Amino acid sequence: MTTLNLNPIQNPINKKKLYEMEEASSQQIEQVFKTARRMQDIVKNMPVEKRVEEILKINDYVIAHREEIITRIVEETGKSRFDALSSEIFEVCDLIDYLKKVAPKLLKDKKVHTPIVLMGKKSKVVFEPLGTVLIITPWNYPFYQMLLPSILAFLAGNTAIIKPSELTPLKGLIERVLTESGFLKDAIQVIYGGRETGKQLIDAQPDKIHFTGSVQTGKKIMAQAAQYLIPVDLELGGKDPAIVFEDVNIERTANGLLWGSFTNSGQSCTSIERVYVQESIYDELIKKLYYNISKLKVSDENRNYLEPGECDMGCMTSESQIQTVESHILDAVEKGAKVIIGGKRAPGSLHFPPTLIVDVNHTMKIVMDETFGPVLPVMKFKTEKEAVQLANDSPYGLSASVWSKDLARAERVAKNLKTGNVSINNCMLTEANPALPFGGIKNSGIGRTKGEWGLFSFVNVKAILIDKQSSIIEAQWYPHTKTKYDLLTSLIISLFSRSRNLIKFAAVGMKLDKIGSKEKIK
Ligand code: NAD
């Protein structure tokens, strides 16, 4: 393959060029797979407890070197240091803390029930690694998104190959963490490049693909993987609704909505992207949101502070994402929406102000498409039924939040929302619990990461049934005589009828066994 240059990596805060990027060569791709395959048996044969020890090395290193890591993340993404600490460093350590306790238990062989017709036999499930997992990641939480699936895949006994986003690859950082922490060499590798590299990596036929990114790319990856029947997990975009009932504490709820919408400058798959407020508190909530937004300390082109205390919100990461945000605002305004605060950046700047927009509706991109920026569109609703209907009127189904003092109502609404996750009286909080599964439905994806489901998505769940070696020929084996047919019929009736007759079942079973004993192979 000829080398294809990609856009150089730049610091979004000051637009300074950081380094060049190019697609990986075929030789590099071949080499990472060769290494990953070589390491497969080593990782597979390590006891889970030993794998946990390896992962803890990453944990210790990340804690000790957190400030340097944050500096690298901030340099490529433009997020505030607080955002990097809370959503990249904290999340990695929290995940490891959960998995270190549960992974050895969850991955142990599991005895399962054996029914009475299989008397004398035993059944179990064993969890085996799949082999080599390809992890393709986006640009918004680069450090966390590379480590989360790699840690799960490795703990489940796989090797992992990561292809980071070509926008925020954090070149060399993950390798540094792995090498300097003393983590098992080559069990997790990183290869850099863009779309072409991604496609070639799939053609190299990994045993599983874990993809986080846009719906558009997710569909392409699934189509390509289908050619080889490679299983895929797709963590895609979202358009998360927040439903706010009239009985809430307005001050707390407004603060929650602002954080849920503006954290990471709104560049989160589970950002609050649309708010539905019960009409009686609409005016009061809008006033409070406006006031609180006006008090936020936002990094701007003249004041590039991203330090905690100086800044609540950093800048956005890419020009093309800002253009999407602007096109959504323009579309909304053209259709009658009103921007209450924010809505415009200084020309050429990647700093986009937190924006509150009202008089919006479901004909607008700002309500129907993923905006992925610091914009909060707010609408009114009258009844619970209407709120659920509006929230579900979306091609996405990632996450949602419901705000009400009436917890029975909040839970009822949560259950009626067509999403993979719901937080009640909070937002993005399901993601903060590593024991909960994370993932979406509809256009938001397929599969679950985190929790025991996340671990099991990287294993072959193998069923084993153990029969002792005996001389009895099983009733269903040949020859298929009329007597056996009649006895099997009686067995079905005695065992599975609503008025189960266990005495009759035992008698029929004994007769079948007797026939089996006579049929034993000489
Ligand atoms: P993207 O789809 O443009 O790119 C993601 C990755 O896919 C990159 O590494 C890219 O190089 C690679 N890629 C692109 N085309 C490819 C192809 N044909 N074959 C193989 N690889 C290919 O996404 P993005 O813009 O980097 O990320 C933003 C999106 O990610 C948003 O939609 C956001 O909602 C979503 N996201 C989802 C989650 C989640 O967990 N559900 C988390 C974060 C971000």
Side-chain angles (χ1 to χ4, degrees):
M1 182 177 122
T2 46
T3 301
L4 291 170
N5 285 330
L6 296 162
N7 286 333
I9 305 305
Q10 67 163 19
N11 181 331
I13 304 158
N14 53 23
K15 307 258 184 90
K16 245 176 52 195
K17 187 170 122 181
L18 298 172
Y19 52 88
E20 298 287 346
M21 271 289 285
E22 56 187 33
E23 298 283 6
S25 67
S26 327
Q27 289 86 338
Q28 284 172 310
I29 290 172
E30 209 175 293
Q31 187 55 48
V32 280
F33 270 92
K34 218 164 138 189
T35 305
R37 301 279 187 219
R38 174 173 57 76
M39 290 302 293
Q40 262 176 226
D41 274 352
I42 296 170
V43 181
K44 180 181 173 181
N45 292 325
M46 280 173 103
V48 183
E49 290 76 5
K50 183 79 185 56
R51 292 181 210 148
V52 168
E53 277 306 314
E54 292 297 313
I55 291 295
L56 283 172
K57 293 178 187 170
I58 297 181
N59 178 69
D60 299 345
Y61 187 91
V62 169
I63 293 173
H65 296 83
R66 63 195 179 279
E67 291 300 331
E68 294 156 57
I69 295 171
I70 289 172
T71 300
R72 272 303 305 278
I73 296 171
V74 168
E75 194 178 46
E76 291 192 24
T77 60
K79 66 179 72 183
S80 71
R81 292 188 77 85
F82 197 100
D83 278 349
L85 178 73
S86 63
S87 52
E88 309 239 32
I89 304 292
F90 178 91
E91 293 279 313
V92 167
C93 298
D94 195 28
L95 177 80
I96 294 175
D97 188 53
Y98 163 72
L99 288 170
K100 76 179 182 202
K101 290 173 232 151
V102 301
K105 281 186 221 149
L106 288 172
L107 294 170
K108 263 206 180 90
D109 294 0
K110 193 174 170 201
K111 202 175 149 208
V112 298
H113 169 73
T114 305
I116 194 164
V117 272
L118 297 178
M119 201 184 278
K121 300 166 175 68
K122 285 182 192 151
S123 313
K124 63 157 97 171
V125 173
V126 297
F127 304 100
E128 294 181 346
L130 296 168
T132 294
V133 178
L134 172 62
I135 293 160
I136 301 180
T137 61
W139 49 263
N140 56 334
Y141 292 104
F143 186 71
Y144 168 67
Q145 278 151 351
M146 281 194 252
L147 283 179
L148 161 76
S150 313
I151 287 168
L152 285 161
F154 175 80
L155 280 176
N158 303 280
T159 54
I161 296 172
I162 307 168
K163 195 215 75 67
S165 163
E166 62 273 43
L167 217 60
T168 57
L170 304 179
K171 200 165 181 184
L173 180 64
I174 298 291
E175 294 93 315
R176 207 179 129 196
V177 171
L178 296 173
T179 310
E180 293 186 5
S181 67
F183 182 78
L184 181 67
K185 190 170 175 330
D186 292 335
I188 298 175
Q189 301 173 85
V190 190
I191 184 160
Y192 298 93
R195 185 186 314 154
E196 288 310 314
T197 303
K199 286 201 237 169
Q200 285 209 25
L201 286 163
I202 298 171
D203 279 337
Q205 301 189 34
D207 301 290
K208 163 113 196 187
I209 300 170
H210 187 280
F211 172 74
T212 311
S214 64
V215 178
Q216 203 186 11
T217 309
K219 286 181 183 172
K220 286 186 194 150
I221 285 178
M222 193 165 176
Q224 196 185 346
Q227 293 174 42
Y228 311 106
L229 279 182
I230 303 171
V232 290
D233 280 344
L234 301 177
E235 296 283 351
L236 309 178
K239 189 75 194 170
D240 287 8
I243 298 178
V244 182
F245 286 98
E246 60 196 355
D247 59 352
V248 295
N249 173 325
I250 292 194
E251 180 67 50
R252 179 180 187 273
T253 306
N255 275 289
L257 294 175
L258 291 192
W259 178 78
S261 184
F262 302 150
T263 183
N264 213 39
S265 296
Q267 302 165 115
S268 303
C269 53
T270 53
S271 292
I272 294 177
E273 290 233 350
R274 49 199 172 111
V275 178
Y276 301 97
V277 189
Q278 204 152 23
E279 58 182 358
S280 60
I281 58 159
Y282 177 84
D283 290 340
E284 198 184 343
L285 185 73
I286 293 291
K287 257 191 227 149
K288 183 50 73 187
L289 289 171
Y290 172 82
Y291 179 76
N292 287 4
I293 291 174
S294 66
K295 297 282 165 221
L296 286 178
K297 288 183 197 153
V298 183
S299 157
D300 64 37
E301 46 294 328
N302 305 315
R303 194 183 149 278
N304 289 321
Y305 299 128
L306 298 173
E307 298 297 327
E310 293 173 331
C311 166
D312 296 310
M313 202 182 97
C315 74
M316 289 187 68
T317 303
S318 86
E319 172 61 30
S320 81
Q321 195 59 51
I322 291 205
Q323 286 176 9
T324 302
V325 172
E326 288 174 331
S327 73
H328 286 193
I329 293 174
L330 184 67
D331 171 75
V333 169
E334 278 174 1
K335 290 173 181 161
K338 204 163 122 210
V339 174
I340 305 252
I341 187 168
K344 268 201 178 68
R345 61 167 161 162
S349 167
L350 288 178
H351 298 81
F352 201 88
T355 298
L356 179 64
I357 181 163
V358 296
D359 295 341
V360 293
N361 62 51
H362 282 227
T363 66
M364 300 173 182
K365 288 182 186 167
I366 205 122
V367 177
M368 299 309 282
D369 298 352
E370 187 182 46
T371 305
F372 223 56
V375 183
L376 191 57
V378 187
M379 287 158 277
K380 288 179 200 169
F381 72 87
K382 284 193 174 71
T383 62
E384 176 182 328
K385 192 171 166 209
E386 185 193 3
V388 171
Q389 211 169 13
L390 287 166
N392 284 339
D393 177 27
S394 170
Y396 293 99
L398 190 53
S399 189
S401 58
V402 183
W403 305 75
S404 173
K405 269 192 194 128
D406 178 349
L407 294 183
R409 166 168 67 182
E411 204 168 319
R412 183 170 65 235
V413 169
K415 285 180 180 165
N416 281 324
L417 292 176
K418 292 183 183 140
T419 61
N421 323 271
V422 184
S423 297
I424 293 177
N425 291 318
N426 217 305
C427 49
M428 300 171 94
L429 209 64
T430 57
E431 275 183 89
N433 179 357
L436 282 172
F438 179 74
I441 58 169
K442 300 201 271 183
N443 273 1
S444 293
I446 294 173
R448 292 294 179 268
T449 313
K450 293 194 171 178
E452 56 190 85
W453 302 268
L455 209 51
F456 290 146
S457 80
F458 291 109
V459 293
N460 170 24
V461 182
K462 185 185 271 181
I464 298 186
L465 190 130
I466 305 153
D467 194 355
K468 58 182 178 297
Q469 185 56 252
S470 77
S471 53
I472 293 180
I473 302 299
E474 294 276 310
Q476 74 276 18
W477 294 355
Y478 304 122
H480 285 174
T481 63
K482 175 75 172 69
T483 313
K484 277 201 212 171
Y485 185 89
D486 291 342
L487 284 170
L488 192 58
T489 306
S490 305
L491 183 140
I492 290 170
I493 295 166
S494 59
L495 188 61
F496 299 129
S497 300
R498 279 176 188 247
S499 54
R500 170 185 283 224
N501 185 339
L502 284 179
I503 296 171
K504 186 148 184 233
F505 162 74
V508 175
M510 275 163 67
K511 279 186 196 163
L512 278 167
D513 268 359
K514 213 165 159 193
I515 295 172
S517 306
K518 278 188 198 148
E519 282 171 354
K520 67 180 134 182
I521 299 160
K522 301 269 160 26

